[in-house]
Amino acid sequence: VFRENAENLLLASPAGHRPVLGVDPGQRTGSKLAVIDAQGTFLDSATIYPTEPKNDVVGATKTLLGLIEKHKIELIAIGNGTGSREVNLFVREVLKEKDLTSITTVLVNEAGASIYSASEIAREEFPDLDLTIRGAISIARRLQDPLAELVKLEPRHVGVGQYQHDVNQKFLREGLGKTIESCVNRVGVDLNTASVQLLRYVSGIQQNTAQNIVAHRIEKGPFKRRTDLTEVSGVGEKTFEQCAGFLRIQNGEEPLDQTAIHPEAYPIVTKMADELSVAPEALIRAKELVDKLNLDEFVNETIGTLALSDIKHELLRPGRDPRKEFKAPQFLEGVDDVKDLEIGMITEGSVTNVTDFGAFVDIGVHQDGLVHLSELANRFVKDPHDVVKVGQIVKVKVIKIDADLRRVSLSIKALQAAPKTEERERPTRARTGAGEAAKSSGGGRPQNRGKGKAAGSDRGKNKARGKSGGQNKNTPTVPKENMNTLLADQLAALKDKFGSR
């Protein structure tokens, strides 16, 4: 469960290269604001006090609007910790009042942000900044690119579920580590912007090698080709062979470096281009050209049809991010607390956690609602992960509210169409004996064939006696002539109840 939740959290939709204002909510010490540019570089910070005890709404509004205008903010990421509901309400009211509806506010899971802000990694990145400002930067970056930011945390601090201490810690650490490595390699890494923490999860690259890559990049400038990586200390032939396919270079000297095609396969792409009498880079995003290729003609000892199919897809969609397109949930307007909810309300929400008994969904009231296992779908659900994933946007209906305990029960099933079921004829209860009861059951009991399996055979009678406990004086006795009738009725009732499943 922890591994699957971590995978979905790491592969959450990135907002992309857009200027973001991160907000770390606070009351007594104020809410910290941090601005990052489209590349995630820290630009500016401030502290506002729009809530209790200072209630400086005027000053907070002025500061917030000043940062938005100065840095052309497109997204506002608000941590979902203490005070987030009040700060979120304040920000939304300011944007609405100033008609800045094009700016999207998103509540971001800040699990582990405080741990990051006090870590050695954060001190190296921002040695002169306050801990709370570092936390606000992390919140902003989590919205911009969740994977790149969350890899800076120890896997167990990512916030992937409850009761992590109840499982074997060695297995948990190894399992989450493998999950992060798998996610990083699946998405790919930009060689000229990746941090040491992100690079160390690339297949074949160790911690020291990742540090050497960043140091080489700082000293000699951005990498122009993948092959330049071999100049870095610690990157030998074997390491390059393992990692090259997971690294990307945008706008480099070699156009194919922006794709997931391994350098070993570049000669194949050149051969494909020669077949069509064009340059290799002309094949990128050129569907009409790529479709003309007969892949079977390029099979050799090292590259088969499956690899050639992957090369084709990469040429058509170079460097494609497997993560879904970013979308923020649309919460109900004016519903900011549990007391504002009413039974029957329908809203969007974001899945924050998936457990064996259901899923927790953030619906914008600072209290996650629970979609119980039985309310996930209009069919039988054995594993909630088959239906929902962490970070998924879902539409839910409020079915129960406990304001005192601040508990909200939600349903996805209530918004789904009822499943189509075959109509079955209900059996009529026969009172004329076992033989007629079996006939009137309408197929409720399979028809027995052969004397050995007949309902009236000795074997059948013995089984009935053995299971009915007829020898036990405390067990009520069912008349023999009504036994088949009773069983047929019970079986028919069960089929009616569970037939749709």
Side-chain angles (χ1 to χ4, degrees), residues 418-429:
K420 294 181 180 179
T421 58
E422 297 179 4
E423 292 188 6
R424 292 179 173 86
E425 182 183 350
R426 282 190 67 92
T428 57
R429 176 169 298 188

Side-chain angles (χ1 to χ4, degrees), residues 467-487:
K467 291 186 178 179
S468 66
Q471 303 301 322
N472 191 337
K473 295 181 180 180
N474 296 325
T475 304
T477 304
V478 180
K480 293 179 181 179
E481 63 272 10
N482 292 334
M483 179 65 72
N484 286 351
T485 303
L486 180 63
L487 290 174

Side-chain angles (χ1 to χ4, degrees), residues 5 10 12 15 63 65 99 116 191 210 235 290 302 344 370 382 402 429-430 453 460 468 486:
N5 282 348
L10 291 165
T63 302
L65 291 175
D99 196 26
Y116 160 78
L191 186 57
V235 180
V290 175
T302 58
L370 173 65
K382 182 178 180 181
D402 189 332
R429 176 169 298 188
K453 295 183 180 179
S468 66
L486 180 63

Side-chain angles (χ1 to χ4, degrees), residues 316-388:
L316 296 175
R317 303 180 69 179
R320 181 180 69 87
D321 194 325
R323 295 173 290 184
K324 292 182 180 179
E325 185 178 352
F326 172 75
K327 181 191 174 200
Q330 299 297 314
F331 299 136
L332 290 175
E333 201 64 40
V335 178
D336 304 295
D337 194 20
V338 174
K339 67 178 184 293
D340 299 328
L341 291 172
E342 295 178 5
I343 293 177
M345 282 183 168
I346 298 174
T347 182
E348 282 189 351
S350 175
V351 178
T352 58
N353 194 13
V354 181
T355 67
D356 284 343
F357 55 84
F360 290 93
V361 180
D362 177 12
I363 56 174
V365 296
H366 194 55
Q367 179 64 47
D368 291 351
L370 173 65
V371 182
H372 189 264
L373 181 69
S374 60
E375 294 293 335
L376 283 172
N378 56 9
R379 57 181 175 81
F380 175 71
V381 177
K382 182 178 180 181
D383 184 355
H385 290 92
D386 296 337
V387 182
V388 290

Side-chain angles (χ1 to χ4, degrees), residues 280-297:
E281 56 267 28
L283 295 178
I284 298 176
R285 298 187 181 90
K287 189 175 187 302
E288 66 283 356
L289 291 176
V290 175
D291 286 345
K292 292 180 181 179
L293 295 169
N294 181 7
L295 298 184
D296 293 335
E297 296 179 0

